[in-house]
Amino acid sequence: MKYRLLLVLFFLFPVGVIAQMEHVPATHPVYDYLDRLASTSRLKGFSRAVLPMERRTVVEFLEAAAKYRTSMSETEARLFDRYRDEFVAEADRSQNPTVFFQDGTEGLVSDREKFLYRWISPDNDTRFFMEFLGSADARVQDADGKSSRVVLGQVGGRFRGTAGGTVGFGLQATNGMVFGDTAFARSDAALRKNSNFGEWGNQYFDFSEAYLGVGWSWGDASLGRERVLIGGAHGDRVTLGMGAPVFDALRLNARAGNFRFMYIHGFILAEKQLIEVFRPYYESKYFVYHRAEADLFESVRFGVYESVIYSQRQIDPGYLIPVNFFKSAEHAGGDRDNPMLGFDLQSLSLPGIELFGSWTIDDIDMAKFGSGWWGNKFIWQAGAVTHSLGDTRIGLEYTRIEPYVYSHAMRDNEYTHKGVALGLELPPNSDEWYTHVTWWYGASLSLGASLRVRRHGANEYGGDGSLRANHGGSVTERFVFGRDNETAPFLGGVRETRKILTLNCRYEPIRNIAFDAAIRFTKVEDRQGTHNTGYGSLQLEIAY
C-alpha cells in the first residue's frame, strides 16, 4: 500500500522536456571543483549541503563558469576542460568518447571518456549509457604489533540514462570477494553491515544503488536507493554522512531564483533481531527531512532544516506533507518520535575564503539551558576553508556533539539505520578538531593530508558488556529515569582521546583508470593505556 501511494505521488508531479535527468553520484570529485569556483566568486548558487545533483544542474554550473576559463590557473583550466568534456560535451553531443562495443580497444589508453556502450536518440531526449566498474583494494594494518592483510576485489556495472527528456534512471551494482583476513575486513563499517559478508559470514559481498526520477523546469523528484549526503561541513555531515548504509527514499527538490527547498522520506530499519535461529527480523522505521535555504546579498547563505525518525506504525500522513512543520506534527501525534531542528550559515563575502557554521537541536528546555541537564542535546559545527593559496585548499573545523544526542527513549527511534548512525561518525559526548589540506596538480593528480583530534566521554561497562554508568556516550544507549544521572556534563565518563593522521594520493594516469593510496596513523589514549594503529591501502579503480 505504501509503495503504491508513493508511486502515485511520484508521477503526479508536472514534467516537461528537460533532458539529462541522471544523477551525479554524491562522491564525484566535480562537486569539490564547483565548491572551489563558488568560494572564489566565480560561481553563483552552488550549494554542497545536499548531494547528489542531476547532471543537467552540473552542466548548468559548468556552463556558467565557462566565462572564467581564461583567468583560471593551469590546474583549474585542466580540471574545467576535463569536467566540461565529461558533462557539457555529453549534453550537447560534442563528446568524442571511446565506446568498447563500437570501437573495441581503440582509445583504451587515451584521455577520452570511455563507455562499454552508449545510445543517444536523434533528438537528444533519450539516452542510455553502460559502464564497467572494477576495483582491487589491498589493505594492511598494524595494531599494537599485530599485522593484518586483506585484498578486496569487485566487479560490476553502471547503467544510466534519460527517457523522453523527462525521466532519469540509474543502476549501479557490484559483487566482491575477500581474500585474506576477514576479521580485518569487517573493521570496515560498510562491509560489516553487508548482509552476505558481515552478517552471514560469506567470503563475498555485494552493493547496489538504483533510482528513477522525473524533472521539470523548477525542480525534480526521485525514488530510489542511492548515497545521499546532507550537511554543510567538509569533514563530517550532521544529517546524513558517508558512514550510513544507503536506504530507499523518496526525494523532492524545488528551486526559485536564490531559494531552494528539499524534502526526503526514507525507509530505514532498526537493528536485526532473531525470531528463530535462522529467521532475521527488522522493525521498519522512517527518516524524514526537509530543508529550505536562501542566498542573501549574494554572499551569505542561510538554511533551516528539520528531521524526524519515527517507527512502530505505517507511513504517517503528517510527514508526507513536505512543507509541514514536523515538530508540531510530532506533538500532534503524541510526542513519540525523534525530531531535530537546525540552522546553518555560510559566508562567501571574502573571495577565496568560506566561513560556515550550524546549530542542530535534538531537544531543548530553555529553563535548564547551561545547567548540564541531559535533555539539552545539541550539535555545533563551525569552520573555515580557504582556496586563496594557489591550487590548494586548506580547512579547519570544529564539531561538538552533546551527551545523548541521536538517542531516544524508544529504542527503534534512535538516529540509526541497521544500528549505524545516520549522521556524524563522531559519537555523542564528543568533540573534534579537524584540519585538512588538498593540493591539485593538473587533472590527474591530487594529494591530501588531514588530522583529526577527538575527545570522547565514554560510557562505563562491566567485563560482561553490561552498562555500569551511562554518560550519554552512545547513540544506542538511551537515558533511563531513575537509573541515569539527570546531569550529564560534557566529556564526563571514561575519557578517550583519539588522534588520526591521514595522507592520501589520487593519480589517474589514464582517464577512467585511477589509483588511490592512503596511509593512516591512529593513536588512542584511554584508561587501558595508549594504542597505536597503522593502516595503508592501495586501490585500483576502473570505470569503463
Side-chain angles (χ1 to χ4, degrees):
M1 176 62 186
K2 63 185 180 182
Y3 292 105
R4 288 198 296 270
L5 173 61
L6 290 176
L7 287 173
V8 170
L9 292 172
F10 182 77
F11 286 107
L12 280 178
F13 289 116
V15 296
V17 177
I18 302 296
Q20 280 224 309
M21 296 305 303
E22 307 103 288
H23 295 174
V24 179
T27 56
H28 198 293
V30 71
Y31 295 121
D32 283 338
Y33 181 72
L34 295 177
D35 187 57
R36 176 180 177 85
L37 295 181
S39 297
T40 51
S41 304
R42 290 174 290 178
L43 189 63
K44 301 296 183 182
F46 174 78
S47 172
R48 66 167 187 279
V50 179
L51 301 176
M53 297 178 178
E54 298 167 303
R55 290 186 74 87
R56 62 161 176 167
T57 304
V58 172
V59 168
E60 290 170 1
F61 282 131
L62 290 171
E63 289 179 327
K67 61 184 178 181
Y68 296 101
R69 169 66 175 77
T70 56
S71 62
M72 293 179 180
S73 70
E74 183 178 353
T75 289
E76 288 177 328
R78 289 183 181 181
L79 284 168
F80 179 83
D81 292 342
R82 167 70 64 87
Y83 294 134
R84 188 195 180 285
D85 182 65
E86 181 176 352
F87 294 100
V88 180
E90 181 183 296
D92 63 19
R93 303 189 68 168
S94 63
Q95 187 183 70
N96 180 32
T98 292
V99 182
F100 181 78
F101 290 153
Q102 298 172 2
D103 306 320
T105 58
E106 180 183 350
L108 180 64
V109 295
S110 72
D111 201 41
R112 294 154 59 185
E113 191 68 22
K114 303 174 181 66
F115 302 101
L116 282 180
Y117 176 77
R118 76 165 188 167
W119 181 85
I120 302 175
S121 65
D123 61 6
N124 207 31
D125 287 338
T126 301
R127 49 183 60 219
F128 176 76
F129 300 87
M130 182 169 65
E131 299 171 90
F132 167 80
L133 299 178
S135 68
D137 188 357
R139 304 178 181 181
V140 297
Q141 178 176 277
D142 186 284
D144 292 330
K146 180 181 178 182
S147 297
S148 304
R149 292 175 175 79
V150 70
V151 175
L152 310 175
Q154 292 189 75
V155 294
R158 179 190 294 133
F159 308 85
R160 62 174 174 88
T162 298
T166 60
V167 179
F169 58 89
L171 166 66
Q172 176 175 313
T174 59
N175 283 276
M177 290 288 293
V178 176
F179 306 91
D181 191 331
T182 57
F184 173 35
R186 288 190 180 91
S187 65
D188 184 313
L191 292 175
R192 186 168 61 251
K193 287 298 178 180
N194 183 267
S195 295
N196 274 318
F197 178 71
E199 298 184 28
W200 295 108
N202 297 315
Q203 290 296 110
Y204 57 88
F205 54 92
D206 62 317
F207 296 105
S208 65
E209 299 184 20
Y211 65 88
L212 182 67
V214 295
W216 51 95
S217 60
W218 52 267
D220 60 272
S222 63
L223 178 64
R225 175 189 294 258
E226 61 181 326
R227 170 68 61 197
V228 177
L229 301 176
I230 302 178
H234 289 261
D236 207 355
R237 299 185 182 234
V238 169
T239 304
L240 286 180
M242 277 296 298
V246 295
F247 53 86
D248 300 316
L250 170 69
R251 287 205 298 146
L252 170 66
N253 295 292
R255 47 194 172 269
N258 291 326
F259 175 81
R260 292 171 292 276
F261 177 82
M262 183 266 190
Y263 167 80
I264 181 170
H265 192 295
F267 305 89
I268 56 180
L269 298 172
E271 289 196 74
K272 182 176 73 173
Q273 305 174 47
L274 288 177
I275 299 177
E276 299 171 0
V277 177
F278 296 107
R279 186 183 174 190
Y281 172 75
Y282 294 90
E283 182 71 38
S284 294
K285 52 192 288 192
Y286 307 94
F287 166 78
V288 190
Y289 174 89
H290 61 185
R291 170 187 178 84
E293 69 174 33
D295 295 339
L296 311 175
F297 316 113
E298 296 187 352
S299 60
V300 176
R301 176 173 297 136
F302 176 73
V304 58
Y305 50 91
E306 282 188 295
S307 66
V308 178
I309 301 290
Y310 72 99
S311 64
Q312 300 182 9
R313 62 189 187 275
Q314 293 298 311
I315 293 177
D316 192 316
Y319 296 135
L320 277 180
I321 304 171
V323 295
N324 201 359
F325 184 32
F326 292 158
K327 183 61 178 178
S328 292
E330 193 262 345
H331 283 319
D335 288 324
R336 49 185 168 161
D337 305 327
N338 188 4
M340 293 200 301
L341 170 68
F343 309 89
D344 57 46
L345 196 66
Q346 181 187 20
S347 172
L348 299 174
S349 57
L350 301 174
I353 299 177
E354 172 196 353
L355 304 175
F356 60 90
S358 66
W359 181 34
T360 304
I361 306 169
D362 190 341
D363 210 347
I364 187 172
D365 185 335
M366 293 303 299
K368 299 179 180 179
F369 192 84
S371 66
W373 180 58
W374 74 274
N376 280 337
K377 302 184 290 185
F378 312 125
I379 303 174
W380 286 277
Q381 279 192 319
V385 173
T386 177
H387 293 269
S388 58
L389 302 176
D391 298 315
T392 303
R393 178 184 68 191
I394 300 176
L396 174 66
E397 61 191 66
Y398 176 74
T399 302
R400 171 168 168 158
I401 175 170
E402 297 288 334
Y404 293 104
V405 171
Y406 293 146
S407 66
H408 193 260
M410 295 173 56
R411 186 168 297 279
D412 289 341
N413 283 350
E414 297 157 349
Y415 200 80
T416 61
H417 173 38
K418 299 178 72 174
V420 179
L422 290 170
L424 297 172
E425 178 189 347
L426 197 66
N429 201 16
S430 303
D431 69 352
E432 175 185 81
W433 285 98
Y434 171 63
T435 182
H436 57 94
V437 57
T438 304
W439 175 70
W440 288 270
Y441 181 75
S444 301
L445 177 66
S446 66
L447 302 175
S450 67
L451 176 65
R452 298 178 184 269
V453 179
R454 296 174 173 173
R455 299 183 301 170
H456 175 50
N459 295 336
E460 298 178 47
Y461 295 91
D464 58 354
S466 60
L467 181 66
R468 295 290 179 84
N470 193 356
H471 299 282
S474 172
V475 177
T476 57
E477 294 289 358
R478 58 180 179 155
F479 179 88
V480 177
F481 286 97
R483 183 195 69 179
D484 302 325
N485 193 331
E486 292 197 20
T487 300
F490 180 64
L491 294 180
V494 181
R495 180 65 65 88
E496 297 177 356
T497 302
R498 186 180 300 263
K499 299 175 183 178
I500 306 170
L501 174 64
T502 304
L503 308 174
N504 59 275
C505 171
R506 179 176 176 83
Y507 179 52
E508 192 173 358
I510 301 171
R511 192 163 173 179
N512 303 107
I513 301 175
F515 294 92
D516 279 293
I519 300 174
R520 184 171 66 242
F521 303 97
T522 304
K523 180 179 181 180
V524 179
E525 298 174 343
D526 56 24
R527 67 169 48 172
Q528 276 76 45
T530 300
H531 315 275
N532 296 292
T533 301
Y535 170 90
S537 68
L538 178 61
Q539 183 179 45
L540 168 65
E541 301 174 351
I542 301 174
Y544 188 116

